[in-house]
Amino acid sequence: MSMLQSVLAANGDVAGFFRMGGYAAYVWPAYAVFFVVLIVDTVAPRLRRRRVLRELSARLARQQARQDRTGGNSIPSPPSP
Amino acid sequence: MTAENPTAPLLEARALSFLRQDEPVFAPLDFQLRAGELALVEGDNGSGKTTLLRMLAGLLHVGEGELRWRGEPLQRDCCAGEILFLGHQLGLKADLSPRENLHIAAGLHGGRDGAGVSAVLADIGLRGYEDEPVRRLSAGQKKRAALARLLLLPATLWLLDEPYANLDRVGIALVNGLLESHTDAGGAAMVTSHGAVSFHGGEPRRIRMHE
Amino acid sequence: MTAENPTAPLLEARALSFLRQDEPVFAPLDFQLRAGELALVEGDNGSGKTTLLRMLAGLLHVGEGELRWRGEPLQRDCCAGEILFLGHQLGLKADLSPRENLHIAAGLHGGRDGAGVSAVLADIGLRGYEDEPVRRLSAGQKKRAALARLLLLPATLWLLDEPYANLDRVGIALVNGLLESHTDAGGAAMVTSHGAVSFHGGEPRRIRMHE
Amino acid sequence: MSRASLSTACAAMLRRDLTLAWRRRGDIAMPVLYALIVTMLFPFALGPEDTLLQRIAGGVVLVTVLLAMLLALDAMFSSDIEDGSLEQLVVAPQPLALMLGMKILAHWLTTALPLIVIAPLMAAMLHLPGAVIPVLLLALLLATPLLSLLGAVLVALTAGTRRSGMLLALMLLPLCVPAVIFAAGAVAAAQEGLPWLAPITWLAAALVLAVVLAPLACSAALRIALDA
Amino acid sequence: MSRASLSTACAAMLRRDLTLAWRRRGDIAMPVLYALIVTMLFPFALGPEDTLLQRIAGGVVLVTVLLAMLLALDAMFSSDIEDGSLEQLVVAPQPLALMLGMKILAHWLTTALPLIVIAPLMAAMLHLPGAVIPVLLLALLLATPLLSLLGAVLVALTAGTRRSGMLLALMLLPLCVPAVIFAAGAVAAAQEGLPWLAPITWLAAALVLAVVLAPLACSAALRIALDA
Amino acid sequence: MANWIPLWLHKLGSPPTFYRFAGALQPWATALALVLGAIALYGGLLLAPADYQQGDAYRIIFIHVPSAEMSMFIYAMMGVAAFIALVWRIKLAEVVAMESAPIGAAFTFITLVTGSLWGKPMWGTWWTWDARLTSELVLLFLYLGVIGLYHAFEDRRQGARAAAFLAIIGIINVPIVHFSVNWWNTLHQGSTINMFGRSKISWDMLWPLLTMMLATKFYYAASLFRRVRTDLLALEGGKDWVRRIAEEEAGR
Ligand code: HEM
Ligand SMILES: Nc1ncnc2c1ncn2[C@@H]1O[C@H](COP(=O)(O)OP(=O)(O)OP(=O)(O)O)[C@@H](O)[C@H]1O
Ligand SMILES: Nc1ncnc2c1ncn2[C@@H]1O[C@H](COP(=O)(O)OP(=O)(O)OP(=O)(O)O)[C@@H](O)[C@H]1O
Ligand SMILES: [Mg+2]
Ligand SMILES: [Mg+2]
């Protein structure tokens, strides 16, 4: 009998589905690991993309500011401590 | 700077020599260095300049002769914090940035009044390289990071072993400027160098190493 | 020295640059170097002189632009044995003596006709230090031991990164003499240096690194 | 002009060594990985028999941790000597023994502590009974600083020589053996349900002595080693 | 002007590395001493029970020898990189792979060979039956050069990085495991009087492959690692 | 002769082209992965009957086997990309190889964890040092080595080349993982699915398994596209096309 049949049967054995024939302690953690790892794998590059773009626009703004300022590289003068 | 004996020279060597395997490395030296003086240690390659400076810094023990600091025999603690030594090896950690390296130096030696690490690094010509690991700097930039200690740390006597090597012309002028203002402020310095270095202020005292 | 294309210059760079993190280290360079010529690479600290020399030596790969050797694109084997490189790091084993270090170099590169290791060491001013471990030499003596390769090994193009640093006046004159006789014999050389170095024979070609 | 206070200097030293270790955190992880590899290789080499593994677990973990520390010991001063930082430290106007004490502390924090943290994992991999693990940790907490301190003195003594490796190992061996004997004795006693306090007390006494004397000896040894 | 012949260059390389090792013979002795210390500590840590020691002897000797080699592996190119000798080697007009092959050979001669020489002593200290020792030596003779060759490739890859230690251990682990399994398999089979030729043959086949390919891979890896 | 390979690679390998191409395909791949995954889970968890020997514990198969297969498949893809990167120095290939590694490591990790969760009830132990388990662990170490080596270099392209080299060396492990059950007799299951002959498991169990395998393939494509796009932005920060994208996204 498939799991669906027992779930849909008259007594509605939904708990039986979660019991997994006594192997719940092994089956569900396995599925949990599967989904958690893949979700992390999906989210990580999205976060990274946002960070990269933020750094990039900051860099562009800095370059813009430097171009606006006049002047080349000034030679450091000997200090007077 | 508390001078125990105001008339005595800062540093005085009498028949000083260093022994390696019981043989003197250089002929006995006699010299005096007073506050405000600059001494140029001259000699060919291998004549013992580095050895002399390391001895003055307290890294090597005096072989024969005598070394006096403000008139007293030189001992480890009597001149603590008054001597700054810069050798062939720069004493920078390659994995730390110039800023971090200087912070450590200031932690060990204490800082000069009014000398901030960022300002010192900018003065020495490392603006923009403050937070780069030292290992990624060019040879001259590393040298500058080491020289920044001169600006940051308090000391009476500077012992500089070939401070000009690897520096460009701006850097050489910078070191000369540093030496001038240090002696003007009453400090003293001993410098070894080979290049045709022209000091601004007068003729320095010369110490020749004879082989 | 077999020239595949006698009219082509020994070394030619066209819009050459090196990329670190996809950014050029120096502005594109164009230069030619012919047999018998000496080029002085000039630039401030950190302007990319060392980087350029390492690229020419084949240690770094060409970022953009082109590099030609006797008219052909520069490749590892077409110039094998014709280029001699001396960097900031001297490439000497500290536990071996200068003599042993040179023997190894001769084993790898082959020796010049009529150049014996002992004679070369005497010429470079290391007589008496032939069998001392390099670690016990002074800074200038180490430099000389590295420079002895120039006398010992056959090569058409010398790439010398600050060969004058740490040398005394005699040593500097010696390097100038070496460079002169090398170019007179039809060799070429690229040298970086900051000091006030005066060449004997005429004005060298200058390559300026712009930031 | 402001002289640096002692506490500032100590903090600067400690921060420096910890930062450096963090920058090269791959190298800190090296002894840890090494220890893990050893514990993983044992089941391969001996066959995965539970009772046998359990029998040797305590000893293997102890020996492995101490050896992993030995590995890192050699490098305690070497990079500082090469780049001239040690010269600068000797020249600095601070008590050298105290500064070296900070260096040893940093070294222990970066090499021994991670090893102690993973020791329970290693013990579990070899099926050591859970009740013994606290005793194992206590033994390690006392034996590892002892090794760091004594090792530092020997490393300082051999700093100026070229043949440091062998000398170091030779001189450390007589120091290692008692530490291992006491530590293993405590663990074995705990595993058999016997009292294990006596060997632990011996270790603690030795540690107290070493904390006081080792930095002084270390600074004296270094001054001699650099003087050439 | 005379181009250096290939054989001269190889001889020069080999002589150089052997001379260097001899000058620092204390460092060669280090892995040997390390291995001896480990084998001496085991009876202390486990208690001197003959049957137990005998049971684990083969495995301990194998693991110890391979770990002792691992220790020395890290240093294979590091000093050459620091003082610029490796640059000079890359620039030299000789096939780099061959020169590196010579370096690997020298490394094996100076680290593995002494270990193999003392392996019978170590085995005897742990009461391994005399009849098994030839098999142990054969396994070591095949496994150690394999480790040297593969290790050299990985060391070369990490030559340009700062976090070499951990990476190296991480990457070497997968290579160590099969070698240990086969070598220990042969020794265990011999100890039980079973045929031990199959695992030895596997090791030999892997070694032949590595001798041909590893130097090439090593030179390619080094060129990549130095290029920055 | 095979000149068209580099030519074709160069065309698709131009970062802006691939950025647009991947951007267009990525939502489709994600959608397919989700739909197929849902169907497979429905079939596997609800429709398929319990195993007569293993009971319901066998349902771990629907994630264990697809993940195990992907761990090897992705390594192979990484190897191919690494080879192209080393031979033709194509930036895109470097990026594809380096961004495949974390996905592969994720699947390898899942395989190891689900395997030991399955092993506890079936074999009575979480872990044994058997050939397949060990070689799969070695695979994880290889992935971690590639990732670690890549990040250990300061210059990212140099790191990519070094790590690509390691990836190619490590490829010998893939056949070892696959054939280990045939070469050494071990605790782990032999082949149950036979693509060309009769499979040893019933169709009710097989079709969800195959569907899940397909879903993970699409997942890989989607994840790879996302990662490569991000990496290209980071690597080509100085180029005009990236600036335009940065300005667009900042405007939004
Ligand atoms: C940590 C433990 C485990 C690991 C690392 C592991 C690893 C693997 C790998 C790598 C594969 C793919 C082989 C290939 O496609 O060539 C695989 C397949 C498989 N595994 Fe596992 N496994 C583990 C535990 C288990 C357990 C406990 C069972 C069941 C009792 C199991 C049953 C299977 C089955 C049925 C296949 C499909 C075999 C085929 O069709 O080739 N595995 N496993
Ligand atoms: N660690 C050492 N052990 C033994 N001898 C040494 C050591 N260091 C230097 N020497 C020798 O001592 C002499 C003096 O060396 P020193 O380094 O003081 O010379 P220097 O004047 O600084 O030369 P340079 O201008 O080349 O730096 C040299 O002949 C050198 O060979
Ligand atoms: N390994 C490295 N990694 C990253 N950046 C580097 C590295 N080496 C040098 N640089 C940077 O590249 C630039 C050029 O360095 P290079 O060493 O070529 O300068 P240089 O002209 O030789 O200077 P110097 O006269 O000081 O020797 C410098 O700004 C330096 O900070
Ligand atoms: Mg000197
Ligand atoms: Mg330079």
Side-chain angles (χ1 to χ4, degrees), chain B residues 8-49:
Chain B
L10 214 53
L11 189 73
E12 189 178 2
R14 296 195 190 143
L16 186 70
S17 71
F18 180 74
L19 304 180
R20 263 202 194 98
Q21 326 234 307
D22 266 353
E23 302 228 350
V25 174
F26 44 78
L29 280 177
D30 289 275
F31 61 86
Q32 293 192 343
L33 195 67
R34 295 180 178 278
E37 273 186 340
L38 175 67
L40 195 63
V41 183
E42 291 189 325
D44 298 337
N45 287 144
S47 56
K49 302 180 295 300

Coordinates of all heavy atoms in Angstrom, one line a residue, chain B residues 8-49:
Chain B
A8 N 79.1 65.2 29.4 CA 79.6 64.0 28.7 C 78.9 63.9 27.4 O 77.8 64.3 27.2 CB 79.3 62.8 29.6
P9 N 79.7 63.3 26.4 CA 79.0 63.1 25.1 C 77.9 62.0 25.3 O 78.0 61.2 26.2 CB 80.2 62.6 24.2 CG 81.2 62.1 25.2 CD 81.1 62.9 26.4
L10 N 77.0 62.0 24.3 CA 75.9 61.0 24.3 C 76.5 59.6 24.3 O 76.2 58.8 25.1 CB 75.1 61.3 23.1 CG 73.6 61.0 23.2 CD1 73.0 61.7 24.4 CD2 72.9 61.4 21.9
L11 N 77.4 59.4 23.3 CA 78.0 58.1 23.1 C 79.5 58.3 22.9 O 79.9 59.2 22.3 CB 77.4 57.5 21.9 CG 77.7 56.0 21.6 CD1 76.9 55.2 22.6 CD2 77.3 55.7 20.2
E12 N 80.2 57.4 23.6 CA 81.6 57.5 23.5 C 82.2 56.1 23.4 O 81.9 55.2 24.2 CB 82.2 58.2 24.7 CG 83.7 58.5 24.6 CD 84.2 59.3 25.8 OE1 83.4 59.5 26.8 OE2 85.3 59.6 25.9
A13 N 83.1 55.9 22.4 CA 83.7 54.6 22.2 C 85.2 54.8 22.5 O 85.8 55.7 22.0 CB 83.5 54.0 20.8
R14 N 85.8 53.8 23.2 CA 87.2 53.9 23.5 C 87.8 52.5 23.1 O 87.5 51.5 23.7 CB 87.5 54.2 25.0 CG 87.0 55.5 25.4 CD 87.6 55.9 26.7 NE 86.9 57.0 27.2 CZ 86.6 57.2 28.5 NH1 86.9 56.4 29.4 NH2 86.0 58.3 28.9
A15 N 88.7 52.6 22.1 CA 89.4 51.4 21.6 C 88.4 50.2 21.4 O 88.7 49.1 21.8 CB 90.5 51.0 22.6
L16 N 87.2 50.5 20.8 CA 86.2 49.6 20.7 C 86.4 48.6 19.6 O 86.9 48.9 18.5 CB 84.9 50.3 20.4 CG 83.6 49.5 20.4 CD1 83.2 49.1 21.8 CD2 82.5 50.3 19.8
S17 N 86.2 47.3 19.9 CA 86.3 46.4 18.8 C 85.4 45.2 19.1 O 85.0 45.0 20.2 CB 87.7 45.9 18.5 OG 88.1 45.1 19.5
F18 N 85.1 44.4 18.0 CA 84.2 43.2 18.2 C 85.0 42.0 17.8 O 85.8 42.0 16.8 CB 83.0 43.4 17.3 CG 82.1 42.2 17.5 CD1 81.3 42.0 18.6 CD2 82.0 41.3 16.4 CE1 80.5 41.0 18.7 CE2 81.1 40.2 16.6 CZ 80.4 40.0 17.7
L19 N 84.9 40.9 18.5 CA 85.7 39.7 18.2 C 84.8 38.7 17.6 O 83.7 38.4 18.2 CB 86.3 39.2 19.5 CG 87.2 40.2 20.3 CD1 87.8 39.6 21.5 CD2 88.3 40.7 19.4
R20 N 85.2 38.1 16.5 CA 84.5 36.9 16.0 C 85.6 35.8 16.0 O 86.6 36.0 15.3 CB 84.0 37.1 14.6 CG 82.5 37.5 14.6 CD 81.9 37.2 13.3 NE 80.6 37.8 13.3 CZ 80.4 39.0 12.7 NH1 81.3 39.6 12.1 NH2 79.2 39.6 12.8
Q21 N 85.4 34.7 16.7 CA 86.3 33.7 16.8 C 87.7 34.2 17.3 O 88.7 34.0 16.7 CB 86.5 33.0 15.4 CG 85.3 33.0 14.6 CD 84.9 31.6 14.2 OE1 85.8 30.9 13.6 NE2 83.7 31.1 14.4
D22 N 87.6 35.1 18.3 CA 88.8 35.7 18.9 C 89.6 36.6 18.0 O 90.7 37.0 18.3 CB 89.7 34.6 19.5 CG 89.3 34.4 20.9 OD1 88.5 35.2 21.5 OD2 89.9 33.5 21.6
E23 N 89.0 36.9 16.8 CA 89.7 37.9 15.9 C 88.9 39.2 15.8 O 87.7 39.1 15.6 CB 89.9 37.3 14.5 CG 90.6 36.0 14.5 CD 91.7 36.0 13.5 OE1 91.8 37.0 12.6 OE2 92.6 35.1 13.4
P24 N 89.5 40.3 15.9 CA 88.8 41.5 15.8 C 88.2 41.7 14.4 O 89.0 41.4 13.4 CB 89.8 42.6 16.2 CG 91.1 42.0 16.0 CD 91.0 40.6 16.2
V25 N 87.0 42.1 14.3 CA 86.4 42.3 13.0 C 86.9 43.6 12.3 O 87.2 43.7 11.2 CB 84.9 42.3 13.1 CG1 84.3 42.7 11.7 CG2 84.4 41.0 13.5
F26 N 87.1 44.6 13.2 CA 87.7 45.9 12.7 C 88.7 46.4 13.7 O 88.7 46.0 14.9 CB 86.6 46.9 12.4 CG 85.6 47.0 13.5 CD1 85.8 47.7 14.7 CD2 84.3 46.4 13.3 CE1 84.9 47.8 15.7 CE2 83.3 46.5 14.4 CZ 83.7 47.2 15.5
A27 N 89.6 47.3 13.2 CA 90.6 47.9 14.1 C 89.9 48.7 15.2 O 88.8 49.2 15.0 CB 91.5 48.7 13.3
P28 N 90.5 48.8 16.4 CA 89.9 49.5 17.5 C 89.5 50.9 17.1 O 90.2 51.6 16.4 CB 91.0 49.6 18.5 CG 91.9 48.4 18.2 CD 91.8 48.2 16.7
L29 N 88.3 51.3 17.5 CA 87.7 52.5 17.1 C 87.6 53.4 18.3 O 87.2 53.0 19.4 CB 86.2 52.3 16.6 CG 86.1 51.8 15.2 CD1 84.6 51.6 14.9 CD2 86.6 52.9 14.2
D30 N 87.8 54.7 18.1 CA 87.6 55.7 19.1 C 86.7 56.8 18.5 O 87.1 57.4 17.4 CB 88.9 56.4 19.6 CG 89.8 55.4 20.4 OD1 89.5 55.3 21.6 OD2 90.6 54.7 19.7
F31 N 85.6 57.1 19.1 CA 84.8 58.2 18.6 C 83.9 58.7 19.7 O 83.7 58.0 20.7 CB 84.0 57.9 17.3 CG 83.1 56.8 17.5 CD1 81.8 57.1 18.0 CD2 83.4 55.5 17.3 CE1 80.9 56.1 18.2 CE2 82.5 54.4 17.4 CZ 81.2 54.7 17.9
Q32 N 83.4 59.9 19.5 CA 82.4 60.5 20.4 C 81.3 61.0 19.6 O 81.5 61.5 18.5 CB 83.1 61.7 21.1 CG 84.2 61.3 22.1 CD 84.5 62.5 23.0 OE1 84.1 63.6 22.7 NE2 85.2 62.2 24.1
L33 N 80.1 61.0 20.2 CA 78.9 61.5 19.5 C 78.2 62.3 20.5 O 77.8 61.8 21.5 CB 78.1 60.3 18.9 CG 77.0 60.7 17.9 CD1 77.7 61.1 16.6 CD2 76.1 59.5 17.6
R34 N 78.0 63.6 20.1 CA 77.2 64.5 21.0 C 75.8 64.7 20.5 O 75.6 64.5 19.3 CB 78.0 65.9 21.2 CG 79.3 65.7 21.8 CD 80.1 67.0 21.9 NE 81.3 66.7 22.6 CZ 81.4 66.6 23.9 NH1 80.4 66.8 24.7 NH2 82.6 66.3 24.4
A35 N 75.0 65.2 21.4 CA 73.6 65.5 21.0 C 73.7 66.5 19.8 O 74.5 67.5 19.8 CB 72.9 66.1 22.1
G36 N 72.9 66.4 18.8 CA 72.9 67.3 17.7 C 73.9 66.9 16.6 O 74.0 67.6 15.6
E37 N 74.6 65.8 16.8 CA 75.6 65.5 15.8 C 75.1 64.3 14.9 O 74.3 63.5 15.4 CB 76.9 65.1 16.5 CG 77.8 66.2 16.8 CD 79.1 65.8 17.3 OE1 79.2 64.6 17.8 OE2 80.1 66.5 17.3
L38 N 75.7 64.3 13.8 CA 75.4 63.2 12.8 C 76.7 62.6 12.5 O 77.7 63.3 12.1 CB 74.7 63.8 11.6 CG 74.5 62.9 10.4 CD1 73.4 61.9 10.8 CD2 74.0 63.7 9.2
A39 N 76.8 61.2 12.6 CA 78.0 60.6 12.2 C 77.8 59.7 11.0 O 76.8 58.9 11.0 CB 78.6 59.8 13.4
L40 N 78.7 59.7 10.1 CA 78.5 58.9 8.9 C 79.6 57.8 9.0 O 80.8 58.1 9.1 CB 78.8 59.7 7.6 CG 78.4 59.1 6.3 CD1 76.9 58.9 6.3 CD2 78.8 60.1 5.2
V41 N 79.2 56.5 9.1 CA 80.1 55.4 9.2 C 80.5 55.0 7.8 O 79.6 54.6 7.0 CB 79.5 54.2 10.0 CG1 80.5 53.1 10.1 CG2 79.0 54.7 11.3
E42 N 81.7 55.1 7.5 CA 82.2 54.8 6.1 C 83.1 53.6 6.1 O 83.8 53.3 7.0 CB 82.9 56.0 5.5 CG 82.0 57.2 5.3 CD 82.7 58.2 4.5 OE1 83.9 58.4 4.7 OE2 82.1 58.9 3.7
G43 N 83.0 52.8 5.0 CA 83.9 51.7 4.9 C 83.5 50.8 3.7 O 82.3 50.9 3.2
D44 N 84.4 50.0 3.2 CA 84.1 49.2 2.1 C 83.1 48.1 2.5 O 82.8 47.9 3.7 CB 85.4 48.6 1.5 CG 86.3 49.6 1.0 OD1 85.8 50.7 0.7 OD2 87.5 49.4 1.0
N45 N 82.6 47.3 1.5 CA 81.8 46.2 1.9 C 82.6 45.2 2.7 O 83.7 44.9 2.4 CB 81.4 45.4 0.6 CG 80.4 46.2 -0.2 OD1 80.4 46.2 -1.4 ND2 79.5 46.9 0.4
G46 N 81.9 44.8 3.8 CA 82.6 43.9 4.7 C 83.6 44.5 5.7 O 84.3 43.7 6.3
S47 N 83.6 45.8 5.8 CA 84.5 46.4 6.7 C 84.0 46.4 8.2 O 84.8 46.8 9.1 CB 84.9 47.8 6.3 OG 83.7 48.6 6.2
G48 N 82.8 46.1 8.4 CA 82.3 46.0 9.7 C 81.3 47.0 10.2 O 81.1 47.2 11.4
K49 N 80.7 47.8 9.3 CA 79.8 48.8 9.6 C 78.6 48.2 10.3 O 78.1 48.7 11.4 CB 79.3 49.6 8.4 CG 80.5 50.2 7.6 CD 80.0 50.9 6.4 CE 79.4 50.0 5.3 NZ 80.3 49.0 4.8

